[in-house]
Amino acid sequence: MPLFTRVSPSIIAVDYNNEEVVKSALENIEDAGANFVHIDVMDGKFVSNKTFDHKFVDFVKNHTTLMLDVHLMIENPEKHVDDYISAGADIITFHYEATDNPESLLKHIKSKNVLAGLAINPETPAYKIKDLLKKNLIDVVLVMGVNPGACGQSFIPGSAEKVAEVRELDKSVYIEIDGGVNVKNSKILRKLGANILVSGSCIFSSKNIKKTIRALKGRAWIVSMNSL
Ligand code: DX5
Ligand code: ZN
């Protein structure tokens, strides 16, 4: 399993309609040691909220050197995925529940040299993706810690067990946990096998973003020695 924990702050937790706010949030998380920026695309159909589309991804790409971790909470992701590839996404994650043919979409994303992520909702059991894992088609499994659609929700405890189940099925895939992640529950999530932690409200509402990101990584002392 990949050794280091990566942190992917979710930009949905800031006032994303304000370009200046977004630019300064991107600078702050980059300085604070984030590995990715998590971009929650919602279409108002797969989930009731609507956020932004590929033009926003394009804007983010132009204002950060962080890798772009794009989470599509949209219907018919196969129809839109190329727009996100063109916008410069480094990981594209779509929902297992949103398409009839996850296998071909995973293959398509991988063929474009973009990491392919598959997200599973709280009610979707881990075994459903067993065959896709066996075929080595998934680079990142995104386990939802909340029902998709909004930031600032409380973590659903069964999601931690699901992280362990996915890790049992595959020792090397990246496991991203998204929704309700905070410093307190990050320890057990890392232990059970999650190695990309998404956090919106916990990071952006904290007084010291750098310390929070270090704590989420669980490697505070190494990071601080490296920065001496
Ligand atoms: C939920 C999103 C998450 C969420 C993270 O639909 O996918 O990325 O916004 O925000 P917090 O960390 O506040 O739950
Ligand atoms: Zn997300």
Side-chain angles (χ1 to χ4, degrees):
M1 129 163 119
L3 274 178
F4 297 101
T5 306
R6 270 81 168 169
V7 170
S8 190
S10 180
I11 200 74
I12 195 182
V14 308
D15 179 9
Y16 53 80
N17 289 315
N18 183 328
E19 292 193 351
E20 292 312 310
V21 170
V22 173
K23 282 197 245 173
S24 114
L26 291 170
E27 250 174 59
N28 291 342
I29 58 172
E30 196 162 339
D31 289 350
N35 305 94
F36 301 96
V37 52
H38 186 85
I39 305 177
D40 284 312
V41 177
M42 301 182 190
D43 64 355
K45 293 179 215 153
F46 181 71
V47 292
S48 54
N49 279 335
K50 201 169 175 176
T51 51
F52 26 68
D53 60 14
H54 60 94
K55 289 183 222 102
F56 181 76
V57 177
D58 208 53
F59 176 82
V60 173
K61 183 81 181 174
N62 288 324
H63 292 92
T64 187
T65 61
L66 289 170
M67 291 175 79
L68 308 190
D69 169 26
V70 175
H71 178 192
L72 299 178
M73 282 162 276
I74 63 174
E75 278 183 353
N76 306 120
E78 52 285 330
K79 287 193 184 150
H80 306 280
V81 88
D82 286 337
D83 291 336
Y84 293 91
I85 293 169
S86 307
D90 296 284
I91 304 177
I92 297 186
T93 298
F94 63 92
H95 271 258
Y96 176 82
E97 303 83 8
T99 175
D100 293 333
N101 196 344
E103 177 160 347
S104 81
L105 190 49
L106 289 164
K107 283 182 181 158
H108 176 71
I109 296 170
K110 284 169 85 69
S111 76
K112 302 288 177 182
N113 290 323
V114 174
L115 293 177
L118 190 61
I120 46 176
N121 276 345
E123 76 273 12
T124 302
Y127 74 80
K128 294 263 187 186
I129 61 168
K130 194 174 170 180
D131 290 347
L132 295 167
L133 285 169
K134 273 205 181 131
K135 291 180 184 170
N136 267 325
L137 290 172
I138 312 177
D139 297 305
V140 180
V141 176
L142 185 153
V143 175
M144 288 302 306
V146 299
N147 286 308
C151 73
Q153 305 179 68
S154 301
F155 189 78
I156 298 170
S159 310
E161 279 159 39
K162 203 188 286 178
V163 167
E165 286 161 17
V166 175
R167 181 53 74 214
E168 187 62 32
L169 293 173
D170 193 311
K171 302 288 177 226
S172 62
V173 72
Y174 280 104
I175 300 180
E176 178 166 13
I177 178 82
D178 182 15
V181 175
N182 54 43
V183 172
K184 206 168 166 205
N185 62 21
S186 65
K187 191 171 178 190
I188 184 74
L189 293 168
R190 288 192 304 270
K191 193 166 170 220
L192 295 175
N195 45 22
I196 304 178
L197 304 190
V198 177
S199 166
S201 37
C202 168
I203 289 180
F204 288 107
S205 68
S206 75
K207 285 198 192 102
N208 187 326
I209 289 184
K210 193 168 189 167
K211 273 194 186 161
T212 304
I213 289 179
R214 280 182 191 168
L216 288 167
K217 285 181 179 174
R219 304 180 71 88
W221 68 274
I222 293 180
V223 176
S224 60
M225 278 179 66
N226 285 347
S227 62
L228 285 177

